[in-house]
Every structure is written in C-alpha cells, then in structure tokens.
C-alpha cells in the first residue's frame, strides 16, 4: 500500500474516473491488468467495473492500492488482448489449475448482462505441429482434444501471452511436478531491481526476501558463476553441489524476470565445467553426485524454462557428464559413463527419451567414436560387457557396419581368453538385432579361422547369432554349410568341436526356411556313408535331421514327415542297402585289425579305432541306433537276409561280447516296439523262419547265453507263438504291498504278464529250447529267469480243446508227463555220471562240471514243478504231519485287502492247529474277507509266504501262537 500522502491523481478519483486496475478471476484467482471505470466511491474505497465484463468481476479496492494505476499506464499489458486473432497461440490456465500452450480456434462478440459487447475467444488446449502425437480434422497436435475447449472473455486473467506462463509441453493427466505460480510477477508491482518476491504458501518473510535481494545486489549470484568458471582453481564436486544447493533452495521466491535469464546462464556454466574439468577433479565423482546436481539444476530450470526446454538442458548435461566419465582414465568413471550412455539408448528405444531422437543420438555416438573407444586400443574387459545395449540399438537402426563387426571380432582373436569370452558374449547379445549382411559377416569371420584353431566357443557364437534371427537366404545357407563341414569333414578338429558342430548344425536346420534343404543333406549323409566318409557323424546327423520333420503329415497329405523322409531315402538312395554294405566293410576292417593285436582283451577291442576317430564300441552302438530309428519311424521292414547277417556276424562269429549284447538288446527292443506300436519291423514269415533256424534249433549253444540273449529269445518265442495262435498274452498290473510288524507301507504296482496256452505245451515252437537253456546255460540268473517263464507257461492250460486243436490233456496229466520226462532225464544224467567216473574222469574235468550242473538243474526243475502244483490248492492231499492234530494256536491277522464289499474286517483272530496247511489258512482268511483263496497273499515279518508252500503246515513254517500275519 502507498503511504498516507497520496498521489494527486488518486485524490481526484471519483465515479466515472477511468483507471488501469488488476482484474481478479473470481473462480481461479488469476490476476491481470485491465481497463476499468470507478462506478462507486465510499470514502477511500472504490468499486471498479472492468470494461466488457460482468458485474460479478467488479472489485472493491482502497484508493491507495497498488492494484489501481493511472489510465493506460499499463497499456502494453492490456492492449495486446484487443489484437488477438484466430489461430494465435496463447497461454491459458485450465480448469485443472495448470498453464498450457493453447490455440485460438474461434472469436465471437456477445452482449453481456450489462448491455456491453464483449469479445470472446475459443481456447483449444493444444498446439498443432507436424510431429504431434494426436490428430483431428485440422491436423496433428500436442495437447488435449477438443472436448476440453472453452470460450473465455478476451480480458480474462486466465489468458496470458504465449510462453509467458506455460511450462507444460505435452498434456499429461497426472501432474508431473508442482509449478510455482509466478503470474503475480507479470503485474510489475515489485521493484524491477529486486531478486525475490513473496509467494503464497511458500514464503512471506520479508527478512528472507531481503537476504536474497542483498545477495543479488552485492553480486553474489554472479560471483557463484564466476567461481564455477574459474579455470585456475577448479571447484570440487562437493563444493559445486553446495553452490547449486544454495542457488536452488530459494528458487520458488526468485522473481520471474531474474530467474529466467540466470537459470540459463548457470546451466551453460555447468555444461562447460563438465566438458573441461580435469580428470583429477572428477575422480571422486559418483552417480549420487550427478543425481544431486541434476536435482538442483531442475529446481532452477523449472522456474525459468518450459518443461521441454528444461528437460533438454538436463538431458544434455547428463549426457555431457556421461561422456566425460566415459573418457576418464579411471575405470570406475568409465563404467559409470558407459552405463549412463546405455541408459540414454534404452530410453530412446522405449520412446521414453524426453529430448533425444534416434537420428541425433546415432550421430552423437559416431561423432564421439563410442564403438571405437570400447573396442579399440583403450578397451577394457569391464567396459566391453556393458556395451551390447548400444550395439544392439545401432544394429536395429541399420548403422552397425561390417567394419564395426570386424573391429569387434579382431579384438576377440587378438586378446586373451577373458577378452575373447567377453567379445563372444557381445556377439551373442547382438543376435536378435542383426540384419542379413551382418549375420553373413559373422559367418565369414568364423570361416576365416584356421581349421585347427576353431573352438567350441566359435561354434556356439555361429549358432547363437542366428538362433532367434534365422531369415533363410544366404546367411542360413552359409551357416549350415560351414557347420556341416566342421562336423563331417576330416580335419584337425577335436572331438568336442565336431560334436558341437553336429548338434548346432541340426539345430540350425530346424529353421523352416531351410526345410527344403533337409532332404539335400539327408542325401549327402547317405552319399558319405556309401563312400565310407565320416560315417559315424553322418548317421547321427541323418537321425537328427529326420527328427526335424513332424512325426506325422498333419492336415496336409503333401507335408513331408519323418516316415516319408526315410522311405524316400530308401527309394531314391537304397538306404538299407547302403547301410549294410558299409556295415560289412566296417566289420571286415575291424576283424582285420583284431588279427594284428591277437593278445588284446575285451576292453582293448572295444576301444579300437578303425575310422572316424571313434572307438569300435561307439561305432557299433550308433549303427544299431540308426537301424532302430529308421525302422521305428517308417514303414520299412528288415529283410530276413539282413537279420540273419546280423545274427551270424554278432552272435555266431562274434568278436566281442559287447557287440553280441548290443545286437541282442537291439533285437529285443525291435520286437518289443513291434508289439507296443503294432508296427512290424519284420515280415511275420521272416521272423518265424529266423526263430526256428537261428534261435531254437538243436545246434544252438545256450551255454554262453546272457540275460540279454535270453530276453531276446523269450520275446521272439512269445511273438512267434502268438502269431501261430498257440499262445495268448494278457498284460496286467499287480499291487505289491510292503508291510512291517507295526505299520503298513504304500502299495506300488508292476506290470506282469499272464500266458494262456491254446494247445499242449509241446506244440509250442521252441518249447524244448527253454528246458535246454535251463540245463545248459552257465549263468544261473538266466536259468532262474527261464524257469520262472516255464512255470508261467504251465499255469494256464485250457480244459477243453477248441475246434481244429489237438486233443488236450488235463493239467494233472500234463504235469505227470512233465515230471516223468524230468525223472527220465535225471536218470540219464546219473547213468552218464557213473560211466564217466568208471572211465576215470575227475570232478574237475570240464565234462564232469557240465554234467553236475545238469544234474542240479534237473533237480531244480522237479522241485519247481512240485511247488507250482500247490499254488492253486493242494486238492485235498496232505502230508503226514498235516494229518496230526498238533498244537492249538491263535493267529492274529491284519488285512490290507481293499474291497467294495461293506463290513470287511481289518483285524481277525483265527484259532487253528499247528498242523493246519497254508492252503487251509488261505481258505479261512478268504472266507472272512469275502474273496477267493488264490487272491490271498500272506506275509510273515514282511516276507511273503510263497504259493509253493501251500502244502506245508504253519508249524513247518515256524508260525507261533500269537503271531501276527
């Protein structure tokens, strides 16, 4: 307020006097100078009505108010409103209490309630620009859509000159920051020489403002800039931050006209400081320092610049500091610099950069030689792994040149292992963004490495750069061809390199763009096999390539699948013929090699290397895998001549036991696969001929049969007799329960087979061979397995013959004949034994040892058939001990039988005599738990009482009074 001595013109103010007065928007409390007329005087209080406005906007002001000034004294602040035209740009205070750049899209004249004509403008809270993110019928714009447009009186204080108030560049539904309301500064009521003005809700302390003014009047603000610019005595980072904090603290109170100029000066000073500061000044610099400096700068710039200008200044400062750190001789600073540059690139990629465009940043990276600095003479192992973000972005933009790749690759070749690993990591990271020319360049760089120097890492890089970015064309072809050469061509490559090349080659061939090339490579594989070149590698590649095809044709019958791929190779290349011809050549070469090392043991022979730098054991194993694969994935069947070839060369004329076991294992798996897949590997007539002539005739020596050999025999026996309808097999799952004295375990299950004879056992093809195996084989485990199978066969004998079958004997009669045969055999062996003893043969003689084995096995056969005869009951027959009364006993039974029948007891007490047979005990339990006798399994101390013990008494099995079963 003015002092008591008024200006003379104020004393003369009366109704009708014209004045300039500060107009106040009643809703948003915005202020502006406007022309007005005194319409009422009450002593020293004036009522002022503003031109072309409603009475609601009239103000009551003291005569001595600074808000009242002589008429047209503020003409410059008022007259521009009369000159507003359509499409002009202004700043406007929106209904959400924020200033925005706006466009005038309409002007109209209306008559208001006072009868005056008022000019109104249509405020559009947007600015039309070519790069605007939104568009309407006029064009692209930045800001808000037209649904937020509003009409305002041209003299409304919410309207100000363009760029005088607005700090926002892009409309944002969320307030980005608190903006100081400095519209009061435009009224010109403060001292033009002052540095600070009071702010509502910020600071009204005159003393504080006087201190700011005092500092400014004494040149303090200029002295701070001069101190930072001092090149003789550089300020430290801590002092720099302290000075900026001093400046930023009172930033809300700075007068608008002062801070707009000063904030730009201080920002230019900071950029110059970081560009030219010596390295020792920045040595203690940290990211925390930079963050604090940027925050202080932001507070200053917020007052003096638009949001976009402020962001541009801060981003440029940030990038300047990043580059300065990147060029520092100190590693920590360099790491900080490359990370900051990478962060800017990330923002650009995510379209979240406030300032920089891709084009500008690409030029900056090139101009400042960032790539050369990372991978050139000044490279460091800690910097290289932090560069891929920049390189990937450059690659995606198409500016990463082949020269760049050569420079990066050369560093890997020339550096140590650590540097090479880092370079390879960078190349792998680049894989997703590489273009065709770049990918081809990587292939050519690896291809240029001397053959003997290629490593597994080189193979992995070759694969990784194309794993997700396969585009077919030249790159994919050259990549696959290089991997093929490394995998199969004779060279100095170590096994691990060739193995990795093989794996990566087949992985590359999964690319759908190379689908048509798969068949070409399948053909090449068989050509190599035919020429006896890299056979081991080629047959493995063949399998992996076929697996790249779908298992079936899918919806289209024209699709190439695994089966059709194999069958086409058989038709066009004679696949099986080529394979067996090569197999024969290999075996001949192996046998010739064996003759040169006559004293070698089994292990030595398995480790012999004939070709392909691969030991014999692996060669044979992979060939059987190949054969199994081709038969199992196609409709091909193995001819009898080839099957007999395998038997003769691996069983009859076997060189090593390992070879024989592999052949037998393969044959069994082929038979099992035939059963499970219902896909024949052999013609039915061929397999029957093979079984009769090779596996079950009288000339076969079963003495050296192993588990693998027997398993193969049993599978063929079942298969042949099923085909002849002499045998039926049912697959069933049986529960196995573990039990202890105090608790019961969980049940698990195993697959078992029930065999049902459709005719007399002697009618079965190869039946006599089972007995021969039991008697002759040296491995007792094989004999046990054969005996178990024999007993299963004799368990289920048909009671009535079907039409066309021979007359069947009863089960009892069959067992009687079987026992008689074994007794006769036993007597024959005994007689032979006596004769040889009389001839003077001793116990240690090989013939006597073999005969003794047959005697023991004959006794085992007899014992086994007797035990089996009691498994399903003892037909009322009892031993002498079972007919005695014996001791009266009480046995506790815990039942784990699960049944759908209700009221099945879980615990029983059974009174019986020690002379009771196990079969009678089963029958008693079965009645109690409502099941049948042969379904009851009894366990004593977790061990099962076998079905063969049915005829024994509980006393004989040492079951005592009070025991729990």
């Amino acid at each position: 307020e003015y002092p008591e001595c008024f200006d003379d013109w104020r004393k003369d103010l009366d109704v009708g006097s014209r004045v300039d007065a500060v107009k106040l928007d009643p809703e948003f409390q915005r202020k502006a100078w406007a022309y007005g007329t005194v319409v009422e005087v009450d002593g020293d209080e004036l009522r002022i009505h503003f031109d072309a406005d409603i009475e609601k906007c009239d103000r009551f002001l003291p005569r001595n108010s600074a808000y009242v000034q002589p008429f047209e004294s503020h003409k410059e602040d008022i007259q521009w409103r009369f000159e507003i035209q359509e499409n002009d740009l202004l700043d406007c205070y929106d209904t959400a209490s924020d200033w925005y750049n706006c466009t005038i899209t309409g002007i109209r004249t209306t008559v208001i309630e006072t009868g005056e004509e008022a000019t109104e403008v249509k405020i559009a809270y947007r600015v039309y620009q070519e790069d605007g993110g939104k568009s309407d019928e006029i064009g692209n714009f930045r800001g808000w859509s037209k649904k937020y447009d509003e009409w305002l009186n041209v003299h409304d204080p919410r309207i100000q000159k363009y760029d005088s108030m607005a700090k926002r560049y892009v409309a944002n539904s969320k307030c980005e920051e608190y903006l100081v309301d400095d519209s009061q500064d435009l009224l010109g009521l403060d001292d033009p020489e002052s540095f600070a003005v009071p702010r509502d809700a910020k600071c009204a302390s005159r003393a504080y403002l006087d201190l700011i003014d005092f500092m400014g009047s004494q040149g303090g603000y200029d002295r701070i800039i001069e101190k930072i610019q001092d090149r003789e005595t550089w300020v430290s980072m801590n002092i720099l931050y302290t000075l900026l904090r001093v400046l930023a603290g009172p930033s809300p109170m700075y007068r608008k006209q002062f801070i707009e100029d000063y904030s730009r000066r201080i920002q230019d000073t900071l950029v110059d400081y970081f560009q030219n500061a010596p390295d020792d000044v920045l040595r203690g610099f940290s990211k925390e320092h930079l963050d604090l400096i940027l925050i202080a700068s932001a507070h200053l710039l917020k007052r003096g610049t638009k949001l976009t200008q402020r962001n541009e200044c801060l981003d440029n400062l940030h990038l300047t500091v990043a580059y300065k750190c990147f060029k520092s001789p100190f590693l920590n600073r360099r790491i900080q610099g490359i990370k900051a540059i990478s962060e800017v690139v990330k923002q650009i990629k995510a379209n979240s950069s406030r300032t920089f465009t891709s084009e500008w940043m690409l030029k900056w990276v090139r101009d400042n030689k960032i790539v050369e600095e990372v991978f050139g003479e000044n490279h460091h192992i800690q910097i290289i792994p932090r560069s891929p973000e920049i390189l990937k972005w450059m690659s995606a933009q198409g500016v990463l040149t082949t020269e760049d790749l050569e420079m990066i690759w050369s560093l890997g070749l020339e550096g140590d292992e650590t540097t090479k690993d880092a370079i390879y990591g960078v190349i792998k990271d680049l894989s997703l963004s590489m273009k065709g020319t770049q990918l081809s360049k990587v292939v050519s760089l690896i291809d240029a490495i001397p053959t003997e120097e290629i490593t597994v890492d080189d193979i992995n890089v070759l694969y990784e750069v194309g794993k997700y970015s396969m585009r077919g064309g030249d790159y994919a072809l050259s990549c696959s061809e290089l991997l093929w050469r490394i995998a199969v061509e004779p060279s100095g490559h170590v096994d691990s390199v060739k193995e990795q090349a093989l794996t990566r080659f087949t992985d590359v061939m999964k690319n759908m763009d190379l689908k048509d090339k798969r068949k070409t490579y399948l053909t090449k594989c068989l050509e190599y096999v035919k020429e006896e070149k890299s056979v081991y590698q080629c047959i493995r590649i063949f399998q992996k390539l076929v697996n790249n095809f779908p298992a079936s044709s899918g919806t289209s019958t024209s699709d190439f699948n695994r089966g059709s791929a194999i069958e086409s190779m058989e038709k066009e290349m004679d696949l099986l013929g080529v394979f067996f011809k090569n197999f024969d050549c290999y075996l001949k070469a192996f046998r010739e090699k064996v003759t040169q090392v006559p004293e070698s043991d089994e292990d030595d022979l398995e480790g012999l290397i004939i070709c392909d730098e691969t030991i014999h054991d692996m060669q044979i194993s992979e060939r059987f895998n190949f054969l199994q694969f081709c038969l199992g994935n196609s409709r091909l069947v193995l001819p009898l001549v080839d099957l007999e070839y395998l038997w003769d060369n691996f069983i009859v004329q076997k060189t090593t036991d390992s070879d024989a076991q592999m052949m037998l294992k393969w044959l069994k798996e082929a038979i099992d696969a035939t059963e499970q897949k219902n896909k024949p590997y052999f013609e039915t007539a061929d397999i029957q001929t093979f079984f009769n002539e090779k596996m079950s005739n009288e000339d076969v020596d079963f003495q050296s049969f192993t588990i693998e050999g027997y398993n193969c025999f049993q599978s063929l026996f079942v298969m042949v007799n099923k085909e002849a309808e002499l045998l039926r097999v049912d697959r069933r799952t049986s529960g196995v329960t573990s039990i202890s004295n105090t608790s019961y375990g969980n049940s698990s299950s195993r697959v078992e087979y029930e065999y049902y004879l459709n005719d007399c056992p002697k009618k079965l093809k190869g039946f006599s061979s089972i007995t021969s195996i039991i008697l002759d084989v040296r491995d007792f485990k094989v004999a046990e397995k054969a005996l178990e199978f024999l007993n299963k066969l004799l368990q289920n004998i048909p009671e009535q013959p079907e039409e066309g079958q021979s007359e069947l004997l009863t089960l009892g009669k069959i067992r009687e004949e079987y026992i008689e045969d074994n007794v006769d055999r036993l007597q024959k062996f005994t007689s032979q034994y006596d004769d040889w003893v009389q001839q003077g043969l001793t116990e240690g003689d090989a013939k006597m040892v073999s005969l003794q084995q047959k005697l023991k096995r004959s006794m085992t056969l007899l014992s086994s058939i007797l035990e089996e005869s009691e498994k399903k009951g003892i037909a009322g027959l009892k031993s002498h001990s079972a007919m005695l009364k014996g001791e009266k006993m009480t046995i506790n039974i815990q039942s784990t039988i699960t049944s759908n029948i209700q009221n099945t007891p879980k615990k029983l007490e059974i009174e019986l005599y020690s002379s009771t047979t196990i079969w009678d005990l089963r029958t008693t339990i079965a009645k109690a738990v409502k099941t049948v006798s042969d379904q009851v399994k009894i366990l004593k101390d977790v061990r099962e009482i076998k079905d063969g013990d049915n005829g024994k008494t509980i006393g004989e099995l040492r079951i005592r009074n009070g025991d729990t079963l």
Side-chain angles (χ1 to χ4, degrees):
E1 293 185 350
Y2 275 62
E4 293 183 1
C5 52
F6 300 163
D7 294 335
D8 291 340
W9 69 272
R10 292 182 184 275
K11 297 177 182 179
D12 297 335
L13 290 176
D14 204 346
V15 175
S17 296
R18 297 283 287 166
V19 294
D20 289 355
V22 174
K23 186 177 183 180
L24 177 67
D25 181 277
E27 182 176 359
F28 297 98
Q29 301 298 302
R30 299 299 94 193
K31 300 171 184 177
W33 287 105
Y35 295 140
T37 303
V38 178
V39 294
E40 185 180 328
V41 177
D42 183 7
D44 287 334
E45 187 174 63
L46 309 176
R47 179 180 178 182
I48 299 174
H49 174 73
F50 295 98
D51 293 357
D53 213 338
I54 59 177
E55 292 184 356
K56 182 180 179 181
C57 293
D58 291 356
R59 293 196 71 180
F60 291 88
L61 297 170
R63 186 184 293 271
N64 62 341
S65 172
Y67 286 173
V68 180
Q69 295 291 330
F71 183 62
E72 293 189 339
S73 60
H74 287 274
K75 184 176 181 179
E76 183 180 348
D77 296 323
I78 302 172
Q79 196 61 34
W80 65 271
R81 296 176 183 271
F82 293 96
E83 299 170 0
I84 293 175
Q85 298 181 5
E86 193 169 342
N87 296 322
D88 280 354
L89 299 178
L90 300 172
D91 286 353
C92 188
Y93 194 78
D94 73 352
T95 56
S97 304
D98 222 340
W99 289 98
Y100 281 103
N101 292 143
C102 301
T103 303
I104 303 301
T105 57
I107 300 177
R108 69 185 182 188
T109 301
T110 61
V111 178
I112 59 177
E113 59 187 30
T114 61
E116 300 171 273
E117 287 188 350
T119 301
E120 293 182 342
V121 292
K122 189 175 185 180
I123 302 295
Y125 290 97
R126 55 189 174 277
V127 176
Y128 289 93
Q129 298 174 336
E130 289 185 4
D131 59 348
K134 304 176 183 178
S135 63
D136 59 14
E137 65 278 2
I138 298 177
N140 298 334
F141 66 85
R142 293 181 182 272
W144 299 92
S145 63
K146 62 183 179 180
K147 71 176 181 178
Y148 297 104
D149 294 356
E150 59 177 327
W151 288 91
L152 295 179
N153 190 308
V154 74
H155 297 289
D156 194 313
R158 291 171 58 195
I159 298 175
Q160 294 292 342
K161 290 181 180 180
Y162 180 67
D163 261 357
S164 63
M165 297 302 302
K167 299 293 193 298
R168 307 253 187 255
Y169 186 61
V170 180
N172 194 325
S173 60
K174 296 182 179 179
C175 185
E176 299 173 359
E177 60 183 350
Y178 173 77
L179 297 178
V180 174
D181 178 14
D182 49 15
S183 58
Q184 178 86 2
D185 298 16
L186 298 179
L187 299 178
L189 299 176
D190 55 314
D191 182 357
E193 300 299 324
S194 68
F195 291 84
V197 294
R199 303 285 182 208
D200 295 339
K202 279 292 182 181
C203 178
S205 169
R206 186 70 254 179
Y208 186 47
L209 300 180
D210 287 344
L211 285 172
I212 296 174
D213 286 338
F214 177 76
M215 180 175 174
S217 64
Q218 297 298 313
Y221 292 107
D222 291 335
R223 290 287 298 278
I224 288 176
I225 290 180
E226 291 170 3
K227 183 62 180 172
I228 299 174
Q229 291 175 339
D230 187 352
R231 295 297 176 261
E232 294 183 2
T233 308
W234 288 86
V235 298
S236 67
M237 295 300 302
N238 286 332
I239 292 178
L240 177 63
Y241 164 64
T242 302
L243 293 175
L244 290 175
R245 188 175 180 186
V246 168
L247 293 175
S251 61
M253 274 63 72
Y254 288 136
R255 187 167 62 88
K256 181 179 178 66
Q257 290 84 343
F258 160 70
I259 195 61
E260 282 182 345
D261 174 66
Y262 189 79
S263 62
R264 292 182 176 88
R265 288 176 58 200
I266 195 68
Q267 195 65 24
D268 292 341
T269 301
L270 288 175
V271 171
D272 182 70
Y273 173 89
F274 282 108
Q275 285 178 340
N276 298 290
D279 292 325
D280 59 340
V281 172
L282 297 177
R283 186 167 189 173
F285 179 61
S286 66
K287 185 178 184 301
E288 289 70 25
H289 281 117
L290 177 60
D291 291 341
L292 293 173
I293 290 172
L294 291 175
I295 291 172
S297 300
H299 282 299
L300 293 172
L301 290 169
K302 180 168 64 174
R303 288 297 323 285
T305 60
K306 291 174 65 67
L307 182 61
T308 51
Q309 295 168 338
R310 186 193 76 189
N311 289 339
E312 183 177 350
C313 290
L314 293 175
D315 290 345
N316 277 313
L317 176 60
H318 191 185
L319 193 57
T320 299
V321 175
Y323 182 69
K324 183 68 176 180
C325 291
F326 177 67
K327 296 287 288 183
S328 169
F330 306 115
L331 179 58
N332 287 344
R333 298 286 74 75
R334 293 188 68 190
I335 293 175
Q336 185 178 341
I338 191 69
K339 288 171 67 176
I341 296 171
S342 297
E343 190 60 37
V344 173
V345 169
K346 281 184 182 179
Q347 293 174 358
I348 293 175
K349 288 172 63 178
N351 294 321
S352 61
S353 175
R354 304 176 301 184
T355 303
F356 306 124
T357 63
S358 291
E359 293 77 13
W360 185 93
M361 191 63 188
L362 286 169
K363 185 176 183 302
W364 184 90
V365 168
R366 284 302 187 194
D367 291 346
N368 290 284
K369 300 184 182 301
I370 301 300
V371 177
E372 292 82 349
E373 187 71 20
V374 174
F375 299 98
E377 294 181 359
N378 296 325
H379 71 271
H380 194 282
I381 189 60
Q382 295 295 327
I383 303 298
I384 293 172
R386 293 173 168 86
S387 64
E389 194 66 43
I390 300 171
L391 297 176
K392 286 189 289 185
W393 169 67
M394 293 176 66
S395 178
Q397 296 295 318
V399 298
L400 187 68
T401 64
T402 54
E403 289 77 14
D404 294 328
L405 289 173
E406 285 182 357
M407 177 178 61
I408 295 171
W409 187 261
S410 298
L411 179 59
L413 295 180
E414 298 167 3
D416 55 21
E417 284 300 318
T418 305
T419 303
K420 184 177 181 180
D421 290 343
I423 293 297
Y424 282 7
V426 169
I427 297 293
K428 291 176 184 178
D429 284 341
L430 278 171
S431 60
L432 280 174
S433 56
M434 280 189 179
K435 302 294 190 297
T437 55
Q438 297 163 340
L439 296 170
S440 296
K441 185 63 179 179
V442 174
V443 176
S444 65
L445 290 171
I446 296 177
D447 197 10
I449 300 175
T451 300
E452 66 278 3
E453 296 179 13
I454 290 181
T455 66
V456 171
D457 290 334
D458 296 323
I459 302 299
N460 287 335
V461 167
L462 184 61
Y463 170 71
E464 289 291 338
V465 295
K467 182 169 60 175
Y468 299 114
S469 54
M470 284 297 180
R471 299 167 177 83
D474 295 339
Y475 165 70
L477 288 175
S478 57
C479 178
S480 62
E481 186 59 33
L482 176 55
L483 288 170
W484 164 267
R485 293 203 308 270
I486 297 172
V488 304
E489 295 293 347
S491 64
H493 298 130
V494 297
D495 290 344
S496 58
V497 172
K498 296 178 75 69
E499 185 66 24
Q500 191 69 356
L502 184 152
T503 301
R504 292 313 187 191
F505 168 75
T506 53
D507 288 342
V508 166
M509 294 304 294
K510 292 177 182 177
N511 177 18
M512 292 305 294
D513 292 331
L514 296 175
K515 181 175 63 173
D516 294 338
K517 296 294 181 181
R518 294 175 192 165
K519 189 175 179 181
T520 300
Y521 279 109
L522 290 176
T523 302
K524 289 182 71 171
C525 286
L526 292 181
E527 288 173 348
Y528 272 53
V529 172
K530 189 175 183 178
E531 297 169 7
E532 299 182 31
K533 293 166 49 180
S534 301
V535 177
Y536 178 75
Q537 294 290 82
C538 287
I539 60 177
R540 295 172 65 215
I541 291 175
F542 186 97
Q543 296 172 70
K544 290 177 178 289
L545 284 177
V546 171
N547 272 330
N548 286 344
F549 290 104
S552 59
S553 299
T555 56
S556 174
T557 55
S558 62
D559 290 344
F560 216 52
N561 58 36
R562 295 173 192 172
S564 56
I566 295 171
E567 290 160 17
S568 68
M569 289 297 100
E570 171 66 17
K571 181 178 179 181
E572 299 170 15
M573 297 289 297
D574 186 22
L575 184 153
L576 291 178
V578 169
F579 171 78
F580 276 100
K581 183 177 180 181
N582 174 268
F583 211 164
D584 187 57
C585 291
Y586 175 83
L587 290 176
K588 288 177 179 177
F590 174 70
R591 291 192 177 103
E592 182 178 350
K593 185 81 170 180
V594 170
T595 60
Q596 299 172 11
V597 283
E599 297 182 359
S600 298
D601 59 18
E602 179 87 5
D603 291 339
D604 292 336
L605 296 181
E606 292 174 9
L608 283 179
I609 295 178
I610 307 303
C611 58
D612 303 335
E613 301 175 353
T614 306
I615 63 173
H616 171 73
D617 194 59
M618 294 175 63
Q619 289 274 7
I620 297 300
S621 175
E622 197 56 51
R623 280 169 164 80
F624 278 117
N625 288 341
F626 176 81
L627 192 56
Q628 181 81 354
F629 178 84
C630 292
L631 296 176
N633 287 281
S634 69
R635 293 172 294 181
L636 299 182
V637 294
L638 192 67
L640 177 61
V641 62
D642 291 334
L643 182 57
E644 290 178 337
Y645 170 83
L646 293 175
W647 181 267
D648 291 340
N649 280 274
F650 286 92
I651 305 300
V652 179
Q653 305 173 31
K654 71 174 182 179
T655 306
T656 70
D657 290 337
S658 175
D659 290 356
Q661 299 311 307
M662 279 191 274
M663 188 274 171
L664 292 170
K665 183 178 179 181
W666 167 82
L667 182 55
K668 182 183 184 307
E669 289 176 354
I671 296 166
D672 291 345
T674 300
E675 293 288 312
Q676 294 170 9
K677 296 182 180 179
N678 196 26
K679 187 272 172 191
Y681 280 47
F682 320 97
E683 295 290 351
T684 302
D686 290 346
I687 201 64
Q688 289 177 347
T689 301
F690 173 78
F691 180 73
N692 294 332
E693 294 181 358
K694 298 294 184 180
M695 295 202 75
S696 63
N697 63 41
E698 296 179 354
D699 297 331
V700 177
D701 179 13
F702 294 111
Q703 290 187 16
S704 59
F705 245 38
T706 61
I707 292 292
E708 291 291 352
Y710 174 74
N711 288 338
C712 183
F713 171 87
Q714 182 175 314
S715 296
L716 275 172
F717 175 89
V718 172
M719 182 179 181
V720 168
N721 283 288
K722 279 179 61 179
E723 291 292 336
E725 297 183 352
L726 297 173
L727 185 67
R728 179 169 59 86
V729 182
D730 284 348
R731 185 176 184 272
R732 64 184 179 89
T733 302
S734 65
V736 182
T737 306
S738 61
I739 183 172
S740 66
N741 288 333
T742 57
S743 63
Y744 297 89
N746 294 325
S747 294
S748 59
S749 61
R750 67 169 180 264
V751 176
E752 293 183 350
Y753 295 92
E754 284 285 351
Y755 301 96
Y756 297 90
L757 274 61
N758 295 329
D759 210 326
C760 293
K762 292 183 179 180
K763 298 284 187 179
L764 295 175
K765 299 178 184 297
F767 181 77
S768 61
S769 296
I770 301 176
T771 304
S772 297
I773 292 172
I774 297 172
L775 295 173
D776 296 341
V777 69
R778 286 191 288 267
D779 188 342
F780 186 67
K781 291 183 179 179
V782 176
E784 284 184 321
K785 198 172 180 68
L787 183 58
E788 179 184 3
F789 178 62
L790 178 63
N791 288 329
K792 284 186 176 181
L793 288 176
L794 298 177
Q795 279 183 10
N796 300 293
I797 306 295
E799 296 180 1
Q800 297 294 331
E802 296 183 6
E803 184 177 351
Q805 290 181 333
S806 60
E807 183 178 351
L808 295 177
L809 303 174
T810 63
L811 177 59
K813 189 65 175 176
I814 288 174
R815 285 177 174 170
E816 182 181 342
E817 289 184 357
Y818 187 72
I819 291 172
E820 289 177 356
D821 291 342
N822 278 278
V823 170
D824 291 343
R825 187 183 299 111
L826 184 60
Q827 291 174 345
K828 175 185 174 183
F829 291 155
T830 304
S831 176
Q832 182 70 57
Y833 183 83
D834 292 339
D835 291 343
W836 284 354
V837 169
Q838 290 178 4
Q839 294 174 16
L841 295 180
T842 63
E843 295 286 335
D845 190 271
K847 293 172 65 177
M848 290 293 285
V849 170
S850 175
L851 186 58
Q852 286 174 339
Q853 174 183 295
K854 291 181 179 181
L855 279 166
K856 292 177 181 178
R857 299 279 176 83
S858 296
M859 294 296 293
T860 302
L861 276 169
L862 276 172
S863 174
S864 174
I865 194 63
L866 292 174
E867 289 180 358
E868 288 295 321
S869 69
E870 294 184 350
K871 281 188 176 181
K872 294 188 177 181
I874 56 178
L877 297 176
K878 293 186 179 182
S879 65
H880 178 72
S881 59
M883 289 187 274
L884 301 175
K885 191 169 186 180
E887 175 190 356
K888 188 174 183 181
M889 303 169 61
T890 299
I891 302 298
N892 299 311
I893 304 295
Q894 291 183 350
S895 172
T896 59
I897 293 177
T898 56
S899 173
N900 294 327
I901 303 174
Q902 295 182 352
N903 301 323
T904 301
K906 296 300 180 183
K907 291 185 179 181
L908 302 171
E909 280 190 3
I910 299 178
E911 291 186 354
L912 39 69
Y913 292 92
S914 59
S915 58
T916 303
T917 63
I918 295 299
W919 178 256
D920 290 338
L921 177 59
R922 290 184 196 275
T923 304
T924 302
I925 295 172
K927 290 180 180 179
V929 297
K930 302 175 183 178
T931 186
V932 292
S933 302
D934 60 3
Q935 294 299 305
V936 174
K937 179 183 295 185
I938 303 176
L939 297 96
K940 178 179 183 294
D941 297 333
V942 307
R943 291 190 177 183
E944 181 186 352
I945 298 176
K946 297 180 179 179
D947 292 340
D949 293 330
N950 282 340
K952 295 181 180 179
T953 66
I954 60 175
E956 289 174 324
L957 295 182
R958 297 189 178 183
I959 298 174
R960 308 302 182 194
N961 185 38
D963 280 355
T964 298
L965 304 179

